[in-house]
Amino acid sequence: MTAASPLTIATTAAIQKLLAGPPDPENLTAALRYLAKWRSALLANSLRQRSPAVINHGPFKGMIYDLHASEGAFIARRLGCYEASLAPIIETIVTRAYPLVIDIGCAEGYYAVGLARRMPGTTVWARDANPDAQALYATLAAANDVADRVEIGGIMTGDDLDICARQPCVVICDIEGAEDALLRLDTAPGLRMADILVEVHETITPGLPARLTARFAQTHQITRIDRKLDDVALPVWMEQLGDLDRLLALWEWRTGPTPWLWMQHKPAA
């Protein structure tokens, strides 16, 4: 018998603890999530062993991605199908060739580095409060030869966003619910002139999509973008896997809806 890995041992212990008491649907749901993450980790190891560390699909095709995700699912990022519903918006951003991209909550840099590669005339501000994420981003930027065009930093403030009034820019924002406090026209008036792509964490702050939509309705044209999966990115060898494993390869670890708002500023009349 093959010895169990530390991950398998830890997962088994966690599930046994969850299921030690009386039958409980919430505990079963938590156990299912533990098992799904365990299986996802095994699939990620197979992907690393069988495929080069390069994204082969989607808007960031050709990007070297040889590190772990600072949060969330690795496989969908490596395959290039992560947040597949945003692909048309990414193409719009690339076509517009903004001089400045501001990525707030950049994590390990999937979007910031991907856009820097595709927009050679663009400067990228990559911002994340997590020092570990900043270190990962620096590694990813260097691996993809864009480190000279990125500025890495921490928490972004409303005053920092004044730059949006001075030059064309797009703001990409994914900050786990804190978008409600940051994206305000009274404290960050520069946002009036920016195009904004924001992930709205409704499961953290109920009603936030409607509140942000109302807040920016006068200054921006707003489109809501919901989730979808793109199985075209699955490599040929995954045809031999079961349906559940193929679904887990596309799974982004979300516990509920996280819609995006694409808010394009309206030109002055």
Side-chain angles (χ1 to χ4, degrees):
M1 179 181 295
T2 303
S5 69
L7 175 62
T8 296
I9 293 171
T11 301
T12 300
I15 291 173
Q16 287 174 336
K17 183 177 180 180
L18 278 170
L19 302 182
D24 184 316
E26 291 186 2
N27 287 346
L28 282 175
T29 299
L32 176 61
R33 188 170 177 84
Y34 266 105
L35 281 172
K37 284 190 172 184
W38 167 78
R39 189 63 183 174
S40 182
L42 298 186
L43 291 169
N45 289 337
S46 295
L47 180 62
R48 290 186 177 97
Q49 293 166 6
R50 302 186 64 161
S51 301
V54 176
I55 295 173
N56 283 316
H57 180 76
F60 303 139
K61 183 177 180 179
M63 183 169 82
I64 295 170
Y65 192 81
D66 191 18
L67 76 178
H68 66 274
S70 66
E71 59 181 42
F74 162 81
I75 303 176
R77 287 175 166 91
R78 169 69 75 81
L79 293 179
C81 59
Y82 182 68
E83 295 180 324
S85 60
L86 295 184
I89 308 303
I90 297 302
E91 295 303 328
T92 296
I93 291 172
V94 170
T95 298
R96 290 181 180 172
Y98 301 86
L100 176 64
V101 170
I102 303 175
D103 188 357
I104 308 172
C106 66
E108 80 288 345
Y110 179 78
Y111 286 109
V113 172
L115 288 170
R117 288 185 71 254
R118 295 202 57 194
M119 303 167 71
T122 294
T123 297
V124 177
W125 288 7
R127 298 290 189 263
D128 202 289
N130 184 345
D132 293 336
Q134 294 177 32
L136 286 171
Y137 179 83
T139 298
L140 192 64
N144 284 278
D145 297 322
V146 297
D148 60 328
R149 290 190 290 108
V150 300
E151 178 186 305
I152 302 171
I155 295 174
M156 197 84 174
T157 69
D159 289 342
D160 295 327
L161 292 167
D162 284 347
I163 194 170
C164 300
R166 301 194 294 271
Q167 64 175 299
C169 71
V170 61
V171 174
I172 301 172
C173 184
D174 179 3
I175 48 177
E176 308 302 316
E179 61 271 16
D180 192 18
L182 179 63
L183 302 184
R184 301 182 61 91
L185 295 173
D186 55 348
T187 56
L191 290 174
R192 294 177 183 274
M193 301 303 295
D195 291 337
I196 306 165
L197 180 62
V198 53
E199 186 173 36
V200 186
H201 295 81
E202 190 167 18
T203 54
I204 299 174
T205 310
L208 185 53
R211 187 156 62 253
L212 282 179
T213 297
R215 188 180 298 170
F216 285 87
Q218 296 300 313
T219 57
H220 288 72
Q221 177 183 334
I222 303 172
T223 303
R224 175 177 169 133
I225 303 165
D226 289 296
R227 298 169 290 180
K228 77 172 186 178
L229 299 179
D230 179 11
D231 64 357
V232 174
L234 294 177
V236 173
W237 62 266
M238 285 191 177
E239 289 288 343
Q240 306 306 314
L241 301 179
D243 287 352
L244 182 56
D245 280 344
R246 286 166 58 82
L247 285 171
L248 288 174
L250 303 175
W251 180 43
E252 297 178 4
W253 295 20
R254 303 179 193 279
T255 58
T258 52
W260 288 78
L261 298 180
W262 174 225
M263 306 196 297
Q264 301 175 80
H265 87 279
K266 298 176 182 178

